[in-house]
Amino acid sequence: MSDSDSFIEEVTEEVRRDRLFGYMRRYGWIAVLAILLLVGGAAWNEWQKAQARDAAQALGDRIIAALALEDRNARAQALGEITVPNPSAQAVLDLLAASETATESPQDAARRLLAMAEREGTDPVYRQIATLKAVALPESGLDVATRRTLMDGLTRSGGLVRLLAEEQLGLIDLETGDKTAALERMMQIAADAEATAGLRRRVTQVIVALGGKPPETARIDQVGATASE
């Protein structure tokens, strides 16, 4: 019985082996194809990463070269001639170019910033920065109503953007002669828990100049800043 059982097991094992080889001959190409796809996909992914790194480095080199030029207009022109791959990179270039032209052509800089803020695909954070910079530019050519509307829109944002917009609205209140509204707005900013030390120092100076008494938190920041200096 043991010899018979052993013989049956050997035959069974041989049949299994034959079936396995048959499956391999029939479907082995699928396994080979899967391996090739995995290896090829990994190689393609690494190639794409390398291409992206090279493109980013080349873009950075062009920006550095443009900013290294001595003349402001030349820097702005060089920045404007750079081709970028996406809206975020274009927004950074527009911010840099506007900074170069802000001193000599503030109205052109403001128009460029607002055009960038309205451009489809621009990241919200760049929209907010561009709008703030355009309104804050001296002699931007933007009328009071336009500046108020732009800043009112940003006050509905969160965090520091909201407070910076409130600061600009306070300065607009001063510009239009409404000192009471300006003082009230600056007091609210100084007492806000999200205000940075630098922002508190700025609004505290305005509060003092208007004859107001800064909140306790703002006075502590002011004393700390004076001591550190």
Side-chain angles (χ1 to χ4, degrees):
M1 289 294 294
S2 62
D3 290 342
S4 178
D5 290 343
S6 176
F7 175 74
I8 292 173
E9 289 179 0
E10 289 180 7
V11 171
T12 303
E13 184 66 26
E14 200 62 35
V15 171
R16 289 175 179 170
R17 189 178 296 111
D18 289 342
R19 286 181 179 176
L20 177 61
F21 288 151
Y23 288 143
M24 290 180 64
R25 286 193 296 270
R26 184 179 300 178
Y27 303 111
W29 66 273
I30 297 177
V32 174
L33 179 60
I35 293 172
L36 290 175
L37 287 174
L38 288 173
V39 173
W44 173 258
N45 188 40
E46 289 300 319
W47 181 81
Q48 283 188 315
K49 289 181 179 179
Q51 290 293 104
R53 285 195 299 269
D54 292 343
Q57 184 175 356
L59 175 60
D61 290 342
R62 290 196 295 272
I63 292 175
I64 292 173
L67 294 175
L69 298 174
E70 294 184 3
D71 183 67
R72 280 184 174 272
N73 292 330
R75 290 198 295 268
Q77 182 178 353
L79 288 169
E81 293 173 353
I82 296 175
T83 302
V84 292
N86 55 64
S88 294
Q90 184 61 56
V92 172
L93 280 181
D94 287 336
L95 288 171
L96 291 172
S99 296
E100 295 298 338
T101 59
T103 302
E104 297 181 1
S105 304
Q107 294 186 11
D108 291 339
R111 281 195 294 268
R112 182 167 195 158
L113 288 168
L114 293 180
M116 185 265 280
E118 296 172 0
R119 185 186 305 136
E120 184 177 356
T122 302
D123 193 276
V125 66
Y126 294 127
R127 294 178 188 271
Q128 295 168 350
I129 293 172
T131 304
L132 280 168
K133 287 177 68 68
V135 171
L137 278 175
E139 301 180 8
S140 64
L142 302 175
D143 58 62
V144 171
T146 299
R147 284 182 283 152
R148 279 193 185 279
T149 300
L150 291 172
M151 291 300 96
D152 282 335
L154 289 185
T155 58
R156 293 189 286 272
S157 303
L160 187 58
V161 171
R162 171 181 61 85
L163 295 175
L164 292 174
E166 291 284 0
E167 180 188 21
Q168 290 300 319
L169 285 171
L171 296 176
I172 292 173
D173 289 335
L174 275 178
E175 180 184 341
T176 56
D178 194 346
K179 295 183 179 180
T180 301
L183 180 58
E184 181 180 352
R185 200 182 295 273
M186 295 300 181
M187 292 286 287
Q188 291 175 352
I189 296 172
D192 197 297
E194 294 184 329
T196 63
L199 178 56
R200 282 201 179 96
R201 285 195 295 271
R202 292 200 303 272
V203 299
T204 297
Q205 291 172 356
V206 177
I207 291 170
V208 172
L210 293 175
K213 184 179 180 181
E216 186 63 29
T217 303
R219 291 202 297 271
I220 292 173
D221 287 343
Q222 189 72 17
V223 171
T226 304
S228 64
E229 292 174 358

